[in-house]
Amino acid sequence: AVVVGAQMFSRPVCGVDAAVRAPAIPSGGGAAAEAVVPPMSLPSRVVVYYFHGNYRCPTCTRIEKLSREAVESSYAGELKSGALAFQSVNVERPDTEHFVQDYGLYTKALVLSLVKDGKEVRYKNLDKVWEYVRDRDRFHAYVQGEVAQFLEGLK
């Protein structure tokens, strides 16, 4: 059975053990009211998406906070220029639930998307955020390293 849309989050899978209970997803090619711009409508850039549902446990909230910190502390210039964007997306909203299927989401997730000439050419689910959530330095290093690799793809 394929889980589609908000049904994915109807039974929350939260906490540090979520990566253990949920199947692994292979790497692939703001606020709840914040408008979500689909990658295909953007110029060339990297989009860092934090996907969540209506239910948000403390661990899920920490992942978003640490992700935002990691991006904003190292990539202020790229954020300002538009080469990089950070978006927090509630996938239980009708206009955003397509992301569940688009990225094979099974729980809250941090996904990087490389967009070139308005088309997504690569994405990666940073599933180790669950493993590193209790270690700020390791979490930041992981996210910053992955973002750096995606930004290289803009060149």
Side-chain angles (χ1 to χ4, degrees), residues 108-122:
K108 285 68 170 181
L110 189 67
V111 174
L112 303 183
S113 173
L114 175 60
V115 179
K116 284 189 165 185
D117 300 319
K119 294 179 115 176
E120 181 176 72
V121 296
R122 180 175 160 221

Side-chain angles (χ1 to χ4, degrees), residues 16-64:
V16 177
D17 64 334
V20 174
R21 293 185 291 162
I25 291 181
S27 298
E34 178 180 336
V36 177
V37 181
M40 286 54 74
S41 69
L42 303 172
S44 300
R45 66 168 63 194
V46 173
V47 182
V48 180
Y49 289 111
Y50 174 68
F51 294 111
H52 62 85
N54 291 330
Y55 175 79
R56 302 182 77 187
C57 73
T59 302
C60 300
T61 303
R62 181 172 170 81
I63 288 173
E64 179 181 12

Side-chain angles (χ1 to χ4, degrees), residues 3-13 51-53 91-92 99-101 104-109:
V3 178
V4 182
Q7 295 173 7
M8 175 188 93
F9 289 95
S10 63
R11 218 181 32 168
V13 177
F51 294 111
H52 62 85
V91 295
E92 290 192 66
F99 285 112
V100 173
Q101 193 163 18
L105 303 175
Y106 60 87
T107 190
K108 285 68 170 181

Side-chain angles (χ1 to χ4, degrees), residues 34 42-49 67-87 110-115 126 143-154:
E34 178 180 336
L42 303 172
S44 300
R45 66 168 63 194
V46 173
V47 182
V48 180
Y49 289 111
S67 298
R68 203 177 280 277
E69 284 176 7
V71 171
E72 291 175 352
S73 68
S74 290
Y75 299 106
E78 290 84 350
L79 287 164
K80 187 174 181 176
S81 74
L84 182 64
F86 186 99
Q87 291 196 330
L110 189 67
V111 174
L112 303 183
S113 173
L114 175 60
V115 179
L126 302 187
V143 171
Q144 290 163 347
E146 295 289 345
V147 169
Q149 288 179 23
F150 268 68
L151 286 170
E152 283 293 315
L154 289 177

